[in-house]
Every structure is written in structure tokens, then in C-alpha cells.
Amino acid sequence: MSDERELMAERERKAAELRAAGRNPYANGFAPTHSMADLLARFPAPPPPAAEQKDGPKAAEPELLSEERFRIAGRIIAHRGFGKATFVKLRDHTGELQLYVKKDKVGDAEYEIWRKMERGDFVGATGPAMITRTGELTILAESVVVLTKAVRSLPEKWHGLSDVEIRYRQRYLDMIANPEVRAVFTKRAAIVRSLRRFFDQRGYLEVETPSMHTILGGAAARPFRTHHNALDLDLTMRIAPELYLKRLVVGGFDRVYEIGRNFRNEGLSRQHNPEFTMLEFYQAYATFTDLMDLTQRLFVELAGEVAGGPTFTYGGRPVDLSPPWPRIPMKDAVVTASTKGLLPGGLERPVLDDEAALLSWIESSGLGARADELGQGLRRSASHGERVATLFDQGGEASLPGDRPIFVVDYPAETSPLSRRNDADPSKVDRFELFIVGREHANAFSELNDPADQRARFQGQVDAKARGQEETMDYDEDYCRALEYGMPPTAGEGIGIDRLVMLLTDQPSIRDVILFPLMRPGE
RNA sequence: GGGCCCAUAGCUCAGCUGGUAGAGCUGCGGACUUUUAAUCCGUAGGUCGCAGGUUCGAACCCUGCUGGGCCCA
């Protein structure tokens, strides 16, 4: 009788018996007067019971905390029966509260019906509050109603549900069995709420831009493709909202932000889900260095609200978000990687600063011939900047410190087609990426608003695509036209919300902060 | 894409060198009106992920497949 089908049949039999007794196992219309949290707040933790009271003779009649009657409702998550009395723990979305159902309180007939209720079912109850001998706030039921009969039983009460595959595929079960999972998503909501407040307070306008695009842009990524029938139009799901948000700056919204889903047709990993949530914001008359300051404030504020302060642990290791955060030029990170052995030796700044020197270093180090991603990336690179960026991606990133946020700066212009060139050195752009615990958390730059330069950069992307690079942007003619009407000097930034939530809630996988992560279909 | 690991009852897990499947929880029957993983007695529950192969004999060894996890590129 422990086969899954038989377990269900047993519960279905109880539901049928409830029906036969005139009770709807899916009843409606019971409105609780109080949540569990309401009552826990109303009757704070009582002093521990005196030893003699606990061990002494049982009181004939429990002592009530007040004459008031409370109506509560929730799922039975623990069930301890004694024949003529039952303790159950009820859970609602605010907390858990014990309910004590006694045969002599609810009556013989009602108690017979009550006996068909078990762990997993939803019930409503009415009664006064009391403190048990063990000191626990408890509602003493004077009446109990069946609300929902669960025909599947819950996972094991002690070990719960730990199979990660079931946890992700059946998130509802995960949430029932693992309360800390609900806490993570509650914090996620708090983070998003705080983000909105942070930007609203600073005069940013929240907007919504299209998530189906006709032109691929705003990031380097492979898209999901779809089709609109009535227009017979091929579309891609957006990989970034950037070009639309900057059109709004052209239109006169000097400060805008959008929190929304992006879609990138790439592999899955602990840090990648094909659809993920991104915050992007743009501020006219600001520069990328202004955004560094804003980013520090934002992260520290969020950590204060969610992680208990600017210092916390992630994966058992300390992280300190206290500003100011160090800045490191991309090339210096590559040099460090070479020194630390993450890349072949001999990569010094003079080599990275000179195209011919770097080419000969690549030749002599043998990297250019390697079959791995680094070798392929170097061979695909058509410019000095792309080679430097490839070395950073494939080695420099790993050399960054893990316990402090770090701004990587001095990005090459060739790999940043939407960023403003640095005034002193036009080969690089006014851009930073923020790395924390070795992961990219934000990407920001002063926006390129010179339409002629923008056209040249788009053309560079088109040329790269022609050379076989897959992750390039399309030439966005209308965006160039918008810039020709004039976009004020502007800085913008994107922050990945999922990774932010991972960091602040100490979760190891992006799947732990996305309610329904993409999974291969099961059976 | 490559490497390593995992898949046994509804859940959490044992299962030795190949000898024919075990526990706890859940369920069912019983006792029990202040429990906290309630307790006690009794009882039921299996396509060992799937498909092949080796063997007298496979949960266990081999191959392939499916799903998942970790690492790498």
C-alpha cells in the first residue's frame, strides 16, 4: 500500500468519504480573520513553562490567552494524532502556527470527519488562543473545516525533498518542503522592489520596451528566433533593451530604466539561463565614472537590506562591498593572469600595448594554434583590441580577486561598439565591467552619441559577421538616425538581476534564484 | 562539445567480492486528550532509469541511450 498510485487512491478514498459525509473536499468561502504572523505578533513568545507545570498533572481545561476567537487557515505540515486529540502545524504564507483539535471540543461527529485530514491538506479552524504545556502558542479548535484535500502526499517530513532535479522541475514541491527556498524568492522580490525605489527616488522613469526585435543589437549573443504571422515577419527575442532605451533619451527622457527579461540562445550553466532578468538604466549628462559611484551606492544599499550589511559570505567565503571599489585596467588583469600562470608567461604591458609585439607573442607562445576557445578566439580576432579582450575573457577574468568588487576599465573600442571613445586614447572606450566573486555583475559605459562613429562601429560589426563571427550586432539604421537628431551625453549600465540575487542570498546556482529554470523536458 | 560522478519503494537512503531487495518516514489496522521527527504494537509497499550484452546466476560487470549534477573548453 505504499506504491504511489495506492497512496493516492487512499487519499482519494478519504476525499470521497468527506463528500459522503456532506463535506466538500474542495470547499470555498472560509475567510481567515488572522494570519499566522498576526497571531504570533499579537502573542509574543511566552516565558518557558515552569518545570512542575510541564511534569505535573494535566490541566483539565486549557487556560486561554483571551476570550477572543480567531479564524485561521493553512496547510497541515505536521500531524501528531493521539486518538481523541490531534496537534497539527498549519502553515500560511506568513508563518506557521499550531492547532489543537480535541474531540470533546469539536464534538464526536466532527472529530470523525477531522480524522480524514492529514499532512498536506488545507483546513480552516476557529477558536481561542492558548499556550501549551511546552510553551507554544496554539489555537484551540472549536470548529474545523475541510478546505482542500491533497490527493498526493508530501515529501518525507524530516529529510524533505533534496533531489535537485525534482526541486527544479516541481518547484511547488520544493517550496513546500524547503522553507529556505521561499525565503530566497522573497528576498528576490525585495531586491527588485529596492531597485525600483532606488531609481525612482533619483528621478528615473521606469519604461517597457519591446522584447521582440527585428534588428539584433545591444549585446553580443545568439538570439532565439520567432515569427509574426500577420506581418509574415521574422523576429528575434531581445538580447538587450539598450538601443530602445537610448532612443528614449533622444526623445527627452533623461533618466530611464527597465527591468525585464532578456533571451540568449546559449548554453546553460550555474551562471547562465537562456532567459534572465536584467536591469538597464540610462542617465543623460552622466559619465561612466558617475555610474561607478552610483553602482557602489546601489550594491551597498541592497546588501544592507538583504544580506545584513556590506560584508557577508558567499559560498563560505567573505565578500566586502565597502566602497571605494578598486579599478583595474583590462590589460593589467591580463598581465596578472600571465604572472599567475593562468596564461602563458611573458605577457607584459609593452607587449599588450603593441599590436606587432602581441602578435609575435601569440605566435611564440603557441596560443594561436591551440584548439581551445582561447586559440579559436585569437584566430577569429581581426584586431588588436579583440585579441586583448579574448586574453582577458579566457584568463584575465580568473585572475581577479574574489573577496572585493572590482571595476575592470579600459575596454578596447573594437569590442564595445556602442561605447564612447576615450578622449585621451581613442583606441579604448569609457567603459567598465563590475566583477564580484569572479563573476560579471554589471557592464556600463559612457554612450557613443557621435552618429558617424556609430555608423562606422555598426559597419565593423557587419564586417565581423561576414568574417564568420556569430555574435555580432546588426546595423541599426533607425538607431543611427535617432543619434543624428542628437542624444545628449549619456551613460548607461546593465546589471544582471539573477546574479545579483545569487550574490546577496548566497545561492550557488542561477537555478536557485529562478523559479522555473529551463530544463530538458522529462517524461 | 569533452571528462568525471549520480539514478534502488511516494520521500530520504543502505545494499560488501555477482548468489535473486533492506531500513526510516509516508500509508493501512490498533492503543493513546499537551505533542514537537510524538510514542508503542502490527502490516503493506519494488519494471533496482531504459535497452542490450557477459554469466549457471546481474541492482552490482560491459556497451549504448535517457535524465540530472560537477568540472573543463
Side-chain angles (χ1 to χ4, degrees):
Chain A
M1 195 53 101
S2 214
D3 176 82
E4 182 174 23
R5 235 165 296 211
E6 291 174 286
L7 287 171
M8 285 184 68
E10 190 57 48
R11 282 173 168 259
E12 282 159 355
R13 183 180 64 76
K14 287 173 189 156
E17 286 171 2
L18 289 169
R19 276 211 171 88
R23 300 296 194 280
N24 185 349
Y26 302 101
N28 216 334
F30 180 91
T33 55
H34 294 76
S35 72
M36 308 316 183
D38 288 340
L39 292 174
L40 290 166
R42 172 107 161 235
F43 302 107
E52 72 214 49
Q53 187 189 345
K54 187 169 181 180
D55 300 332
K58 293 165 185 176
E61 198 61 18
E63 196 175 323
L64 305 182
L65 289 168
S66 75
E67 285 305 307
E68 191 175 353
R69 266 50 180 169
F70 305 101
R71 290 155 67 85
I72 61 170
R75 186 194 291 274
I76 299 174
I77 56 162
H79 186 280
R80 294 182 281 274
F82 287 83
K84 296 190 182 68
T86 314
F87 287 95
V88 296
K89 184 83 84 175
L90 291 189
R91 177 197 283 165
D92 69 10
H93 72 119
T94 68
E96 298 171 0
L97 193 64
Q98 183 164 260
L99 178 70
Y100 184 26
V101 184
K102 280 155 58 91
K103 189 173 185 177
D104 60 7
K105 276 284 175 194
V106 298
D108 291 3
E110 284 306 305
Y111 198 77
E112 274 314 297
I113 287 164
W114 166 252
R115 286 168 69 98
K116 305 193 187 310
M117 302 309 289
E118 56 202 315
R119 197 161 159 270
D121 297 342
F122 285 87
V123 298
T126 305
M130 56 171 276
I131 302 292
T132 64
R133 219 162 47 161
T134 53
E136 180 165 352
L137 178 64
T138 299
I139 296 297
L140 175 62
E142 290 173 339
S143 73
V144 189
V145 295
V146 178
L147 295 180
T148 300
K149 184 71 193 166
V151 295
R152 288 181 189 268
S153 49
L154 297 180
E156 210 248 358
K157 64 184 173 188
W158 183 238
H159 300 94
L161 179 70
S162 57
D163 183 322
V164 291
E165 185 172 353
I166 300 177
R167 288 188 45 222
Y168 296 147
R169 287 190 192 279
Q170 295 174 251
R171 182 66 88 182
Y172 44 90
L173 252 198
D174 188 25
M175 293 167 66
I176 295 168
N178 301 309
E180 65 280 9
V181 170
R182 278 177 289 134
V184 166
F185 290 102
T186 302
K187 283 184 179 176
R188 181 176 176 128
I191 289 168
V192 172
R193 208 181 309 125
S194 295
L195 285 171
R196 288 205 160 91
R197 191 196 56 223
F198 185 92
F199 286 97
D200 291 344
Q201 281 175 346
R202 285 165 174 75
Y204 289 76
L205 182 71
E206 180 170 12
V207 297
E208 294 175 275
T209 66
S211 47
M212 292 187 292
H213 292 181
T214 53
I215 292 172
L216 195 61
R222 293 162 64 184
F224 287 93
R225 299 184 184 283
T226 185
H227 185 81
H228 185 262
N229 290 339
L231 296 181
D232 189 19
L233 182 64
D234 288 329
L235 296 163
T236 57
M237 303 301 291
R238 74 170 168 201
I239 58 174
E242 173 159 355
L243 298 179
Y244 281 101
L245 291 171
K246 285 192 281 193
R247 282 173 168 91
L248 298 178
V249 178
V250 170
F253 285 154
D254 286 348
R255 296 185 178 200
V256 292
Y257 73 96
E258 178 166 13
I259 295 172
R261 211 70 64 86
N262 289 346
F263 306 85
R264 297 186 183 174
N265 206 338
E266 294 166 350
L268 288 74
S269 82
R270 292 214 302 178
Q271 293 159 65
H272 297 88
N273 194 65
E275 55 178 306
F276 61 100
T277 304
M278 185 90 137
L279 161 71
E280 282 203 15
F281 60 93
Y282 292 83
Q283 178 177 340
Y285 314 111
T287 67
F288 79 120
T289 54
D290 296 326
L291 296 191
M292 287 185 183
D293 187 53
L294 190 74
T295 304
Q296 290 179 166
R297 286 175 200 277
L298 174 63
F299 275 60
V300 167
E301 184 167 320
L302 292 173
E305 289 173 20
V306 178
T311 61
F312 51 89
T313 60
Y314 182 79
R317 300 167 73 164
V319 179
D320 183 3
L321 299 188
S322 304
W325 299 343
R327 305 173 187 187
I328 180 174
M330 176 187 273
K331 286 176 182 171
D332 287 0
V334 174
V335 170
T336 304
S338 174
T339 309
K340 285 185 173 178
L342 295 164
L343 289 169
L347 264 184
E348 301 297 338
R349 265 312 282 263
V351 177
L352 290 165
D353 285 339
D354 183 86
E355 179 163 10
L358 181 60
L359 281 170
S360 87
W361 179 89
I362 291 170
E363 181 70 28
S364 62
S365 68
L367 277 192
R370 270 172 38 175
D372 59 14
E373 187 115 341
L374 177 53
Q376 289 175 27
L378 289 171
R379 282 195 297 282
R380 261 203 312 268
S381 298
S383 67
H384 183 63
E386 285 170 84
R387 289 178 203 109
V388 172
T390 300
L391 288 167
F392 174 72
D393 289 345
Q394 303 297 325
E397 273 189 31
S399 78
L400 298 174
D403 60 336
R404 290 279 289 149
I406 189 152
F407 290 120
V408 175
V409 296
D410 293 355
Y411 277 71
E414 297 93 322
T415 60
S416 313
L418 304 171
S419 306
R420 182 182 192 279
R421 284 184 202 276
N422 183 263
D423 286 334
D425 178 0
S427 74
K428 63 189 190 188
V429 291
D430 288 341
R431 173 181 176 187
F432 70 80
E433 284 191 351
L434 169 64
F435 287 81
I436 310 176
V437 297
R439 289 199 282 255
E440 181 193 335
H441 273 268
N443 177 24
F445 39 85
S446 297
E447 303 299 335
L448 173 58
N449 64 346
D450 173 342
D453 193 1
Q454 185 63 73
R455 285 185 181 281
R457 308 276 196 99
F458 276 140
Q459 191 55 51
Q461 292 287 298
V462 171
D463 295 344
K465 177 154 277 181
R467 288 196 308 271
Q469 282 210 15
E470 285 188 64
E471 297 181 353
T472 58
M473 299 184 198
D474 292 340
Y475 195 119
D476 192 331
E477 176 61 37
D478 178 69
Y479 177 69
C480 292
R481 179 165 54 197
L483 292 187
E484 285 159 359
Y485 282 101
M487 180 170 77
T490 298
E493 177 167 343
I495 296 175
I497 302 296
D498 310 279
R499 290 181 187 175
L500 178 61
V501 176
M502 286 170 67
L503 178 74
L504 296 178
T505 61
D506 195 13
Q507 294 300 305
S509 168
I510 198 168
R511 291 182 158 185
D512 296 318
V513 302
I514 291 177
L515 283 166
F516 299 101
L518 183 68
M519 300 285 282
R520 241 187 209 97
E523 36 88 34

